[in-house]
Amino acid sequence: MHRTLTWTAGFLFLTVGASHAADDVMIVYDGSNSMWGQIDGAAKIEIAREAMGSLLGEWADGTNVGLMAYGHRREADCGDIETIVQPAPLERDAFMERVQAITPRGKTPLTAAVEEAAQVLAFRDNPATVILITDGVETCQRDPCALADQLETAGVGFTAHVVGFDLSGEDQEAVACLADRTGGRFLAADNADELSSALGEVGETLAQATVEEPEPEPEPEEPALPSVEVTAPETATIGSTVEVEWNAPEQSERDMMTIVPLGTEDGEVGNYIRVRDDSAGTLQVPANTGFYEVRYVVNDGRGTAGSAEIEVVDAAITLEAPENATSGAAFAVSWSDSIHPQDYVTIVPMGAEEGESGAYIRT
């Protein structure tokens, strides 16, 4: 079921790059105007500041922590997102001084902040975790639930955990989609004590993740991968999408189908889709010609369980346009075929570098 989330107040959340075993943390702090709201006579911004001590108190000295805030500089600006402290070994006193200096002022660009945090963590290449503490809802016309679907699909291992602070039952259900759709947990907190307890639990979880584990003993042999039959076209045009099929005796929803250059080492991933509960899907072909493999990759260990070769060939597309046109005028152009609906026809100065674009239309 697809749910649309509409929020009116702000939040604070933190992001953790799991590729560094929770050593690198970005705390994103709510500076929106809604944080002046009160609970039991205390402003939520003050409650959140005090609860931050419970979160930071669980982390060892030297943990790399950064601070990001939004809505704290300008009113009615959905682009007001700022990295205040770059990730660096934690110095609690100095860090808390920066937190105390944040003054609620503006809007709540919740979804854009989550998206920016995911990009900072290079979530397409590394596992990434977001812990979100929210007192309300998005105010910048974005859909966090839809974004959660996109991040879970596009990411190597994106997970969101959510702490709902002073939320109604309906709002709790809406915000829980961020956790539900990415395999995370949802926790509710209705007052200062519960928020502090919830953040302490989050901090303890992250602190345990930073404990250095002993080197695993080598296993005598790796378990055999299942044999998966993969079907793909023999050829495909650059940039196009192709239908691929797989027949796996057992599959995890996080296994993936990917396309990589022929001979690429096991474990590397190109364009991909999660197999979920399906046996067929659509895969994006790279923009460079050559010989490739469509592979079924097992998520646990990134081993290849089956593959099929495919040759990516150049596009044979012709364009027609007038030999001259009046400056600023519109004119008709046509093309013999289209490869992908998001491809476009553009006009640029003669000799412009590959990748540049001017005025354009989608094919």
Side-chain angles (χ1 to χ4, degrees), residues 337-362:
D337 197 6
S338 62
I339 300 173
H340 189 279
Q342 291 300 310
D343 292 345
Y344 54 90
V345 175
T346 186
I347 180 170
V348 295
M350 183 72 75
E353 293 185 2
E354 189 76 16
E356 293 189 12
S357 63
Y360 69 92
I361 55 174
R362 296 286 181 186

Side-chain angles (χ1 to χ4, degrees), residues 69-232:
Y70 67 85
H72 60 298
R73 296 175 298 179
R74 298 179 294 274
E75 297 180 2
D77 185 354
C78 289
D80 186 10
I81 302 171
E82 178 190 17
T83 300
I84 297 174
V85 178
Q86 293 290 341
L90 176 62
E91 297 181 4
R92 286 178 173 80
D93 292 342
F95 193 92
M96 286 303 299
E97 284 182 5
R98 304 304 297 272
V99 172
Q100 295 288 343
I102 296 172
T103 302
R105 178 170 298 178
K107 296 180 74 67
T108 305
L110 181 154
T111 308
V114 173
E115 188 173 37
E116 183 170 326
Q119 296 289 350
V120 169
L121 293 173
F123 76 106
R124 289 185 175 85
D125 301 317
N126 303 300
T129 300
V130 171
I131 292 88
L132 165 66
I133 300 93
T134 174
D135 81 327
V137 295
E138 168 77 39
T139 62
C140 289
Q141 290 74 53
R142 293 285 302 274
D143 184 353
C145 295
L147 177 67
D149 289 337
Q150 295 169 13
L151 295 177
E152 196 280 334
T153 300
V156 171
F158 183 84
T159 305
H161 303 291
V162 179
V163 176
F165 179 33
D166 191 35
L167 293 178
S168 67
E170 183 178 348
D171 286 341
Q172 285 184 17
E173 181 180 353
V175 75
C177 68
L178 285 167
D180 294 342
R181 300 185 186 187
T182 60
R185 297 178 58 201
F186 173 76
L187 299 171
D190 293 330
N191 53 50
D193 290 340
E194 290 182 3
L195 178 61
S196 181
S197 176
L199 286 178
E201 184 176 338
V202 170
E204 184 178 353
T205 299
L206 296 177
Q208 291 173 351
T210 63
V211 175
E212 184 176 352
E213 298 181 358
E215 290 291 331
E217 296 182 3
E219 298 180 1
E221 60 182 49
E222 295 183 358
L225 291 172
S227 179
V228 178
E229 181 182 352
V230 175
T231 304

Side-chain angles (χ1 to χ4, degrees), residues 246-334:
W246 57 92
N247 184 6
E250 295 181 4
Q251 68 185 48
S252 164
E253 65 176 13
R254 295 194 66 79
D255 292 348
M256 65 184 77
M257 295 295 297
T258 186
I259 182 169
V260 294
L262 188 64
T264 298
E265 293 185 1
D266 243 11
E268 295 193 18
V269 175
N271 296 339
Y272 73 92
I273 55 174
R274 299 287 184 186
V275 303
R276 302 187 184 277
D277 295 326
D278 302 323
S279 59
T282 302
L283 196 60
Q284 180 86 40
V285 173
N288 297 318
T289 61
F291 291 92
Y292 290 79
E293 276 186 301
V294 175
R295 294 178 176 177
Y296 184 104
V297 177
V298 178
N299 187 63
D300 185 10
R302 294 297 178 85
T304 300
S307 65
E309 291 188 15
I310 181 173
E311 182 181 4
V312 177
V313 298
D314 210 349
I317 294 189
T318 59
L319 286 173
E320 291 189 7
E323 293 184 357
N324 54 66
T326 303
S327 174
F331 57 90
V333 296
S334 62

